[in-house]
Every structure is written in C-alpha cells, then in structure tokens.
Amino acid sequence: MSSHRRPKQPNPAYTGILTATAAAAVAVSAAPASADPLPDPNKKGVQAQVDRLYEEATQATEKYNGTKEKANKLQQQVDDMQDAAARQQGDLNDLRAQLGLLAAAQYRDGGIDPALQLALSTDPDTYLEKASALDRISARHSGTLRQFLAQQRALQQHRTEATQKLTDLRETRTELADHKKAIQGKLAKAQQLLNTLTAEERAEAAAEEQRASRASVRADLGNQASASQRGAAAFQAAQSRVGMPYVWGADGPNSFDCSGLTSWAFRQAGISLPRTSQQQANVGTRINNLGDLRPGDLIIMRSDLSHVGFYAGNGQILHSPKPGAQVRYEAIATSGMPFMWGVRIG
C-alpha cells in the first residue's frame, strides 16, 4: 500500500470562500452532527447558540439522507412492480385471446363449454371457486386455462404489492419533507442569530474559519500506508476534494456533507457505501482503537454516529465538518467530536 502525504490543494478557487460575508450567510448548508459535546465552553452567547443549531441541523441532515435513500429504493421497487404488472397484463391478454379462439371454435361445434364461460367471465373468483369444472375440459384446453388463472393471480398479487409500496413511498416522501423543513428551520434560526453579530464579531468568526483552513493546508499526515487498496483509492479521491464547500444533503462532486464525501469517495474506488454515517458505521471491519487506524479507514464520530470522515494519518481526520466550512484536514483531538470507532473497507 502506498503512503499518504497531503497533496497539493487542487481547487484554489475554493480556499478563500470563507470571508466575513460568507460567515454570515451559511444558512444554505448543514452537516450530520450530534449533541454529544457541548459547544466550546470558551465560546459565549450568539456563537454558542449558532453552534448548537448547526449540530441539530446536521443530525436532521443524516435523517434526511437516510429517508431519501429509502424513498429512492421504494421508487425503484414501485417502477419494477409496475413494469412487471404491465408485462403480466400483456401475457394475460394473449391468453385471454387464446381462450376466446377456443370458445369460438367450441361455439361452432355446438356450444361453449361451461368452464370456458367461467374463465372468460368478468368475475374470475367465480371460476376459482368452481375449479372442478376444469375436469370437463379436454387436457389441451385445461393447460391454457390453468396458465390463464395463474397469470391472473400473479397479476393481482403484483398490483396489491405495488399499491402498498406506493403508500409507503408517499409516507416516506412526507417524512423526507419534514426532515428538510427541520434542517431549513435550524439554519434559518442560525442565520437570524448571525445577523445580530457586529461587523467585528463577523470578522472574528470568518477569521476562525480561515485559521482552520490554513491549518488544513499545513496538516502533517505522516507517511503511514493504507491498509487496503480500495481504502487508499477512496482516500485519494477524498483528498482531491479538499477546499470544496459543505452543503447539507450533497454527495459531490463539488459539494458534500460528511457522509456524502465518504460515499462519493468510495464510489470512485468502485465500492458502493450506504448513504448515512450510521449505516457506514456498520460496514467493513470495525477498528476500536484510534491508534490502529490507517489512512483511508473511515472514522465514526459522536455517540449517535452522526459524523464520519477519513482517517488521514498522524491523528488527523479528513472530513466535511459543518455549515460554512470546507472539506479539510483537522486534528481529531481538537475537533470537538468524540471518536467512536473506525471502519476498514476493502
């Protein structure tokens, strides 16, 4: 496995994104977070309230991500069921046409067999209740009728299942809208608070983010090798996104929330990860000790598992941390988020 040093910044256009103006206009983004640690006790007043709102917004973001993934899967299932029902209806129409031909032939020969009349009726349940009538039809006709009835049952089952999936999908979309509303509400409140800051306080907040960005540029990652080729490839992809802005619900390629960055990076390495940090926490091989992590391992943060990033080496995490920030390197010890465990994939 190759070693990992911090690469040259690939997107200089993003490195100056956090000016004093941007610090007061971050309400358009949010990242998965938890209420684990209280905001920095050295931060008082408005900034502490904003930090708490961002944490709550990022928790809602991971719920949004999970619900959106569920909605997408349900939509695919509904589409597949409707396609299958359409194909079955076509087959059923063909069989009905065959039965019609049989009925016409019998009529010419002196009358329609009662069983065929039942099969061609608009009430198939009547026929099913009197299935013994099949004994009165020749073996050649019986096979076609049995196939017709089986297709009817299968079609009805698919329609019933599709109806239930559509109900689930509507409920999931309602839940999705609720999560989105919660996120936007938290961010709107944060923006209102930011608007109360003086010009000096806004400049101070912007300067703090700029210091974090400068620290990212200077981050010493050491030269430890990754534990897997796929992990190394995903980590390298994530490194190419340093400087990109955090946007809630985004999964690349030019903006990310925390789990959006990790899932996007692993897609570049040919691995499909679940969308949320909680789901990503339960894939691969768990690494319980921080000292056993290697670059490219996932690192799960906060007791509700609501934050995820890449272990970057030398006690650093590469992640998309929060609203108003960029994808960056940061010391785990000073991130303000407790380490839960690592995940090795590939």
Side-chain angles (χ1 to χ4, degrees):
M1 305 302 168
S2 59
S3 62
H4 294 281
R5 295 182 181 275
R6 180 183 54 77
K8 182 179 179 181
Q9 299 296 320
N11 295 288
Y14 284 97
T15 59
I17 196 171
L18 292 176
T19 63
T21 301
V26 293
V28 294
S29 59
S34 152
D36 259 293
L38 292 173
D40 186 338
N42 294 320
K43 293 180 180 179
K44 304 297 182 182
V46 169
Q47 191 59 54
Q49 294 178 62
V50 169
D51 288 347
R52 173 59 68 198
L53 286 166
Y54 282 167
E55 290 180 1
E56 293 172 354
T58 55
Q59 287 176 323
T61 295
E62 282 302 85
K63 293 178 182 179
Y64 173 90
N65 290 336
T67 304
K68 183 178 181 181
E69 184 175 50
K70 178 182 177 182
N72 290 340
K73 289 180 179 179
L74 283 171
Q75 183 65 66
Q76 185 61 57
Q77 290 171 358
V78 167
D79 291 345
D80 291 344
M81 286 180 177
Q82 290 177 335
D83 288 345
R87 289 193 298 271
Q88 286 178 326
Q89 183 65 66
D91 294 341
L92 194 62
N93 291 342
D94 291 342
L95 287 171
R96 188 182 295 275
Q98 293 179 35
L99 291 175
L101 293 175
L102 291 174
Q106 289 197 359
Y107 179 79
R108 287 193 300 270
D109 292 339
I112 300 177
D113 191 290
L116 270 177
Q117 293 178 6
L118 289 172
L120 291 171
S121 71
T122 57
D123 185 2
D125 289 336
T126 301
Y127 181 82
L128 291 175
E129 293 171 0
K130 300 179 180 180
S132 60
L134 285 171
D135 295 337
R136 297 196 298 271
I137 304 179
S138 68
R140 180 170 64 89
H141 296 170
S142 176
T144 303
L145 284 167
R146 290 182 187 279
Q147 187 178 2
F148 178 81
L149 292 174
Q151 288 281 28
Q152 278 188 321
R153 289 192 294 269
L155 178 59
Q156 184 57 45
Q157 181 178 356
H158 269 96
R159 285 176 172 167
T160 299
E161 292 175 353
T163 298
Q164 182 58 55
K165 290 294 182 182
L166 280 169
T167 299
D168 294 343
L169 180 59
R170 284 193 293 269
E171 293 174 352
T172 301
R173 285 176 171 166
T174 298
E175 183 182 354
L176 189 65
D178 290 342
H179 291 319
K180 182 176 182 179
K181 183 178 179 180
I183 294 166
Q184 293 174 330
K186 299 294 183 183
L187 296 178
K189 289 180 181 179
Q191 185 62 55
Q192 290 172 0
L193 288 169
L194 287 170
N195 290 341
T196 69
L197 294 175
T198 66
E200 182 179 355
E201 288 170 331
R202 293 181 187 183
E204 182 179 349
E208 182 176 346
E209 285 300 326
Q210 289 171 345
R211 284 192 293 272
S213 295
R214 288 195 296 271
S216 177
V217 172
R218 298 192 300 269
D220 179 7
L221 307 182
N223 57 5
Q224 193 175 27
S226 295
S228 72
Q229 291 182 347
R230 291 291 180 87
F235 180 50
Q236 185 176 13
Q239 289 180 298
S240 75
R241 302 293 91 185
V242 169
M244 295 294 184
Y246 177 97
V247 174
W248 72 267
D251 60 355
N254 297 318
S255 59
F256 304 88
D257 61 23
C258 74
S259 57
L261 174 65
T262 51
S263 59
W264 176 86
F266 268 100
R267 283 201 303 274
Q268 312 317 301
I271 294 180
S272 178
L273 288 186
R275 179 59 175 87
T276 70
S277 58
Q278 290 90 347
Q279 292 170 319
Q280 293 178 17
N282 293 301
V283 299
T285 302
R286 184 175 297 190
I287 310 295
N288 291 316
N289 297 319
L290 186 61
D292 294 333
L293 292 177
R294 306 283 288 276
D297 292 340
L298 294 180
I299 182 167
I300 309 300
M301 311 290 279
R302 299 194 176 103
S303 62
D304 65 351
L305 316 180
S306 61
H307 192 70
V308 63
F310 283 97
Y311 183 68
N314 201 27
Q316 300 280 322
I317 183 175
L318 172 59
H319 63 159
S320 185
K322 63 180 181 179
Q326 303 167 323
V327 175
R328 69 191 184 201
Y329 301 98
E330 192 169 6
I332 296 169
T334 60
S335 67
M337 295 179 285
F339 166 76
M340 302 309 296
W341 62 78
V343 175
R344 184 164 295 162
I345 298 172

